[in-house]
Amino acid sequence: MQGVARNFFTLAIIYALCGMALGIHMAISQDHGQMPTHAHIMVAGWLMSTVFAFFYHLFPAAAGRTLAMVHFWLTAVSGVALVVGLYLLLAGNEAMEAVTGIGSMGFYAAMFLFAFIALPTVYSRA
Ligand code: HEM
Ligand code: HEM
């Protein structure tokens, strides 16, 4: 694994370690107030980044495009803004609502870009 695939896999592992630590913290403290943050770190973070990693690993031609690196950075920056913003918002910092909202829209835009990269790749005859 290399390039953008390895970047996504590294990001996925970081999400998994942070999200599971938050899950253990919630379980020990018996305070599940951060459940939406944990759920998004695990599913939108760990699972989605892993899917992207293996997609780019399986399709090196798509991984070699500049757009793939744009997809990685948009996903990484907006995803971290989304989950860190959500964590702080749920911890009571209402000013973080804007950061969480902008992160969400960036994350959606990144998914849109992925559709643009991935669909022609899987439909191509080559
Ligand atoms: C160290 C391991 C983990 C611990 C200690 C943990 C802990 C928790 C806790 C305490 C909740 C809140 C449950 C509730 O209030 O109903 C929760 C919810 C959740 N966890 Fe984890 N979790 C772990 C790993 C994972 C993993 C690996 C995933 C996914 C890949 C995951 C995905 C979710 C999701 C999606 C929810 C929300 C469920 C719902 O909407 O009802 N968790 N977890
Ligand atoms: C555009 C970005 C997203 C936004 C704005 C968003 C928003 C939300 C909202 C408002 C909830 C309800 C939370 C609650 O009732 O407490 C939710 C729950 C959930 N979302 Fe998302 N979501 C986004 C992306 C995703 C993605 C990409 C995934 C998975 C790949 C995902 C997985 C989940 C799961 C598993 C839950 C249930 C967890 C819970 O009940 O706390 N979300 N999301």
Side-chain angles (χ1 to χ4, degrees):
M1 195 175 266
Q2 54 190 337
V4 78
R6 193 166 55 189
N7 287 2
F8 267 120
F9 197 72
T10 308
L11 181 66
I13 294 281
I14 294 168
Y15 273 131
L17 293 173
C18 295
M20 288 168 75
L22 181 57
I24 291 169
H25 173 71
M26 292 191 318
I28 292 172
S29 65
Q30 297 190 9
D31 175 359
H32 296 185
Q34 289 289 349
M35 181 174 89
T37 314
H38 165 76
H40 285 91
I41 294 174
M42 295 313 305
V43 191
W46 156 241
L47 294 182
M48 279 184 74
S49 301
T50 301
V51 171
F52 294 143
F54 282 99
F55 173 84
Y56 287 117
H57 184 63
L58 281 172
F59 297 101
R65 296 173 67 186
T66 309
L67 266 189
M69 206 44 103
V70 175
H71 172 230
F72 170 75
W73 282 109
L74 188 54
T75 303
V77 172
S78 64
V80 169
L82 170 57
V83 297
V84 173
L86 187 56
Y87 179 89
L88 295 171
L89 183 62
L90 294 178
N93 188 339
E94 287 179 15
M96 282 297 135
E97 197 168 352
V99 174
T100 312
I102 292 166
S104 300
M105 285 183 254
F107 204 70
Y108 185 83
M111 189 64 214
F112 200 83
L113 180 57
F114 182 63
F116 184 75
I117 295 168
L119 290 176
T121 304
V122 298
Y123 276 95
S124 99
R125 286 164 187 275

